[in-house]
Amino acid sequence: TQLVSKDTGKLNSVIDISMSSFEAITKKVQNIKDQSTDMYLKAENVKQINNINISTVTSLKYINKESSDKLNGVNISFKELYTDFMGIKNIVNVVNNISKRTHILSLNASIEAASAGKYGAGFSVVAREIRNLSEGIVEQMFKIQDIVNSVNNNMSKTEISLGEVNRVFNEQDNAINDTIGSYQKALCSTDDIVSSIGNIDLSIDALNNENSSVIKTLKEVNIICAEFTNSVGKISSVIENQYVETKNMDSLVKQLENLTNELRKNMNKFRIHQ
């Protein structure tokens, strides 16, 4: 019983150490859970930020598309304007040709008026006025031609600028699409992280429940061991009492045996002789 009591004490000590270890593990696991929860909240925050960024960039994409559509409209209007301008240029060329023919006609009229003498004097005045008008038209047409050439150069530069703006819009649209793709990948990664952290939290909760169950079981075992130790102590006390009683009984038996022997001797003294 002493050996059993000693072994039971060792078992109680081991159980206490195990309980302390499990409680320490539970605290560490709880600390990990707290950190995991913090990471989960941060990951959720990053997820929300990514959603906001995707929404913002998508809005920027729509704005960029609208601007690009308007730019295409400007390009179409510019081409129509260029067509109208070429029509004006053609009209200028026609007027120049008419002016040249009018000038030649006025020269011929002057020559004919000179040949007609005094009869062609009035016709000569008309021819001179037509020549002056033709020369004025030519002068104005030269100015218009300069303006047309200047407008043509400006339109060419504008066309080049529109092409550059269109190229920039296309590059910007590609950059926006790449940005949206990157944010979507980041969002998928964040979703995976959030899901993994959620699974970790569930595993930690399950581990905490198992640790709590083990600690509860160890406490119950500890109580049983304490009760068993107490029972062993009581049994040991009973056995010791029985041992003492047995020793006392052995002494009484020896005393009884001595008394019996003495009685036998005394009885032999009173034997009746025939």
Side-chain angles (χ1 to χ4, degrees), residues 31 82 89 143 152 227 238 244:
N31 187 25
Y82 185 77
K89 189 174 181 180
K143 293 180 181 179
N152 190 23
E227 292 176 352
V238 170
V244 172

Side-chain angles (χ1 to χ4, degrees), residues 25-85:
I25 291 172
T26 301
K27 290 181 180 179
K28 291 180 180 179
V29 170
Q30 185 61 40
N31 187 25
I32 294 173
K33 179 176 173 60
D34 292 339
Q35 294 178 359
S36 176
T37 302
D38 184 60
M39 290 176 61
Y40 181 84
L41 295 175
K42 290 180 179 179
E44 280 288 345
N45 189 26
V46 172
K47 181 179 178 181
Q48 293 177 0
I49 292 173
N50 280 335
N51 284 325
I52 293 172
N53 290 335
I54 289 175
S55 178
T56 302
V57 176
T58 303
S59 299
L60 181 62
K61 179 181 178 180
Y62 289 143
I63 293 172
N64 187 70
K65 185 178 183 302
E66 185 178 359
S67 299
S68 180
D69 293 338
K70 290 182 178 179
L71 180 63
N72 290 330
V74 172
N75 284 329
I76 294 172
S77 299
F78 180 80
K79 289 180 181 179
E80 293 175 353
L81 177 63
Y82 185 77
T83 302
D84 294 338
F85 175 76

